[in-house]
Amino acid sequence: PEDMHVLANIYIPGKRVKSTDKLDHVILTRTGIYVIDSNYWTGHLYHGISEMQFDGEPIFETVFNILELDSKSEQTICLDKGEDGSAQFRSYKHSIEELKLKAERLEKVFELPYPVTPIAYYNAEGVGSEHITNYSRDNSVKVIVGEKELEHFFEKFVFHGRFQYKVEELEEVRAAIEHLNP
């Protein structure tokens, strides 16, 4: 327990109410600090799509136009079956860029010595890594689909990674976060 703290529904206050960031999960470990944005979607995820994929996958240009998405920046969309049996596209409402900014803000507010790793986590019952097509060229955000892949990530990179923080440092960060989130 002293090597890992899992904090849920964390808020980092801004100067104004609208600039307050909500973080689904903050994971504090000796090998690093992680911000997880959790999404519970079914269907097939297409992550990191931009206008670069339009030639090879022309349907995406139409989807971008219908959903009014910025084709110059990478987007995450989901193809799923609607309640009436029709095909339905949904877009990831919070951009990957926003997730990166939240991780950077957490690092800055708490004066952390190492970068915070942002994770976009997608999970729904029966959804796993076979339900994602990842086109992203941005490796700064980890994209994880399903509980098994999340367990594998933590087992491989977190529990067996190089230590960055001492137990006492993690406790100080946890206490500082909890002080802002009574």
Side-chain angles (χ1 to χ4, degrees):
E2 63 274 354
D3 286 343
M4 182 179 207
H5 302 282
V6 179
L7 307 172
N9 297 318
I10 299 301
Y11 291 88
I12 302 176
K15 292 181 182 177
R16 294 181 310 274
V17 174
K18 288 186 177 184
S19 63
T20 296
D21 287 326
K22 179 189 178 287
L23 310 174
D24 292 339
H25 295 90
V26 176
I27 312 296
L28 309 173
T29 72
R30 294 183 67 194
T31 57
I33 296 178
Y34 304 85
V35 171
I36 299 178
D37 188 30
S38 300
N39 301 283
Y40 297 95
W41 287 4
T42 58
H44 191 90
L45 297 167
Y46 297 90
H47 175 71
I49 296 177
S50 68
E51 63 189 3
M52 294 181 68
Q53 282 74 44
F54 291 174
D55 285 340
E57 305 281 351
I59 187 72
F60 288 130
E61 185 170 10
T62 303
V63 172
F64 269 60
N65 289 335
I66 291 170
L67 296 176
E68 299 176 350
L69 300 173
D70 177 10
S71 64
K72 300 222 182 295
S73 64
E74 291 187 356
Q75 304 287 332
T76 300
I77 59 176
C78 178
L79 173 61
D80 199 4
K81 185 175 168 181
E83 289 181 20
D84 62 355
S86 63
Q88 174 181 41
F89 279 100
R90 292 187 309 257
S91 67
Y92 179 48
K93 293 182 180 134
H94 308 288
S95 77
I96 295 299
E97 291 302 316
E98 287 177 14
L99 178 56
K100 289 192 306 192
L101 290 173
K102 287 178 181 182
E104 290 170 8
R105 187 149 179 247
L106 181 70
E107 181 183 329
K108 185 176 179 181
V109 167
F110 296 103
E111 299 175 353
L112 301 172
Y114 303 101
V116 172
T117 302
I119 298 173
Y121 174 62
Y122 300 96
N123 189 24
E125 192 171 326
V127 174
S129 59
E130 69 278 6
H131 293 95
I132 186 168
T133 304
N134 192 346
Y135 294 100
S136 182
R137 296 173 13 163
D138 182 354
N139 294 325
S140 65
V141 174
K142 304 298 180 210
V143 178
I144 297 176
V145 179
E147 202 171 303
K148 287 181 184 178
E149 193 173 323
L150 184 64
E151 287 174 11
H152 175 73
F153 174 81
F154 273 88
E155 180 65 35
K156 184 175 180 181
F157 296 104
V158 177
F159 299 138
H160 295 112
R162 185 178 63 82
F163 286 169
Q164 295 178 330
Y165 293 93
K166 296 176 184 170
V167 171
E168 299 81 25
E169 293 171 319
L170 289 180
E171 185 57 36
E172 288 173 14
V173 173
R174 185 196 59 77
I177 290 173
E178 287 179 348
H179 176 74
L180 289 176
N181 294 269

